[in-house]
Amino acid sequence: MSESPVAIVTGGAQGIGAAISIELLKKNYKICVADVQLSKAEAFVNEQRLVYGKENIIACFCDVTKEADYKQVFDLTLRTFHKIDVLVNNAGIIREQEPQTVVEVNLMGPIFGCLTALKYMGKSKGGRGGIVINTASIAGFVPIADVPVYVASKHGVVGLTRSYGTQYHFDKDGIIFAALCPSFTRTELVLESRNNTVRCDNDFSKRSDLMSTEHVAKGVIKLLEDKINGSALAVTPEGYDYVEVQELKNVHV
């Protein structure tokens, strides 16, 4: 078995997902790029094979709204690389006119991903443990009038991550859960968001503070290095900062 760590990245064929895949390849990871756009994933993988070797990256179809697709991704990754160390639940959309689809992709996708990771990687199921990183958003902490459904889904991802990232789950399964929470980033998702929000007079693509996908992807490397269970890392143009859980007086959990 190769000593190189193995990661699955959903939505890994473009935008932040592609940047994450490249950063992981630079760190000697073997990667399964899982994406609903298989042809785009295959084209991306073929490009990276020229740089990092054909034995280090594969593509797989995955509709994150279907738990069975996650199983297929995990099975293929295990057949190819013989282990799984990291899952990055990255796939996401902005589509305020289709709230159910937003929730299914942005929240149910990471839920299915976490559940599948627990089945395959969890020590209670015979696994080796590992790390799950859920791509949330700065919208997981603050209100944004343009995209209330998107905000709700990302708040859910932060809550999901923090709840699985508790001592109970770690003691049981040995998996660290963390959330990547980027601010506005120069991706196709943001550049085309004007037609997918509840306001047409506010164009996210015109913002002067859009970050590069490479800057965001380096946040994943920080999460992998820091290994802080239940953490949520805000990525802004100014840098990388962990956002602590808000404490409420007289509330005990």
Side-chain angles (χ1 to χ4, degrees):
M1 184 184 297
S2 170
E3 293 301 316
S4 298
V6 176
I8 296 169
V9 182
T10 70
Q14 61 184 331
I16 292 173
I20 291 170
S21 296
I22 291 171
E23 288 297 322
L24 291 173
L25 286 166
K26 290 178 181 177
K27 294 291 185 179
N28 200 38
Y29 275 75
K30 295 181 181 294
I31 306 295
C32 176
V33 174
D35 205 289
V36 71
Q37 299 182 72
L38 183 57
S39 60
K40 186 170 287 189
E42 290 174 335
F44 172 74
V45 164
N46 287 333
E47 289 176 3
Q48 303 315 312
R49 283 175 170 171
L50 296 175
V51 180
Y52 300 101
K54 65 180 182 180
E55 72 279 6
N56 292 321
I57 183 169
I58 59 173
C60 184
F61 176 83
C62 182
D63 179 346
V64 298
T65 68
K66 295 179 172 59
E67 191 171 7
D69 280 17
Y70 267 102
K71 181 180 185 303
Q72 293 177 2
V73 172
F74 271 71
D75 286 340
L76 175 63
T77 304
L78 285 173
R79 287 198 304 271
T80 306
F81 299 131
H82 312 296
K83 64 176 182 174
I84 300 168
D85 301 289
V86 175
L87 168 65
V88 182
N89 286 312
N90 173 75
I93 61 171
I94 297 175
R95 203 174 296 167
E96 290 296 306
Q97 300 86 348
E98 300 176 40
Q100 183 169 333
T101 302
V102 171
V103 172
E104 288 176 350
V105 173
N106 292 0
L107 182 54
M108 287 309 303
I111 288 173
F112 287 145
C114 290
L115 292 173
T116 308
L118 288 166
K119 290 177 184 176
Y120 280 78
M121 299 162 63
K123 291 183 177 179
S124 69
K125 304 293 186 181
R128 303 164 61 249
I131 300 178
V132 172
I133 296 175
N134 296 319
T135 300
S137 167
I138 203 74
F141 308 115
V142 298
I144 303 176
D146 309 71
V147 285
V149 178
Y150 177 83
V151 168
S153 69
K154 294 303 184 178
H155 271 66
V157 173
V158 171
L160 176 76
T161 304
R162 285 174 165 169
S163 297
Y164 273 129
T166 51
Q167 196 65 42
Y168 168 81
H169 291 287
F170 183 77
D171 289 345
K172 180 182 177 184
D173 286 301
I175 297 176
I176 290 172
F177 291 84
L180 180 74
C181 305
S183 185
F184 294 91
T185 307
R186 189 172 297 281
T187 63
E188 187 174 316
L189 192 73
V190 169
L191 296 179
E192 297 181 354
S193 63
R194 183 174 184 177
N195 297 322
N196 294 306
T197 69
V198 297
R199 293 173 58 185
C200 60
D201 60 335
N202 187 19
D203 190 348
F204 292 155
S205 69
K206 303 300 184 183
R207 293 178 64 102
S208 61
D209 60 348
L210 292 180
M211 301 182 297
S212 70
T213 56
E214 292 78 13
H215 179 68
V216 175
K218 291 183 187 301
V220 167
I221 304 304
K222 179 172 176 59
L223 288 170
L224 292 172
E225 291 174 347
D226 292 349
K227 295 183 174 64
I228 303 174
N229 198 23
S231 60
L233 182 70
V235 182
T236 66
E238 289 72 36
Y240 310 89
D241 297 288
Y242 286 104
V243 178
E244 302 299 328
V245 177
Q246 182 181 13
E247 294 186 5
L248 298 177
K249 294 181 179 179
N250 302 319
V251 175
H252 304 282
V253 294

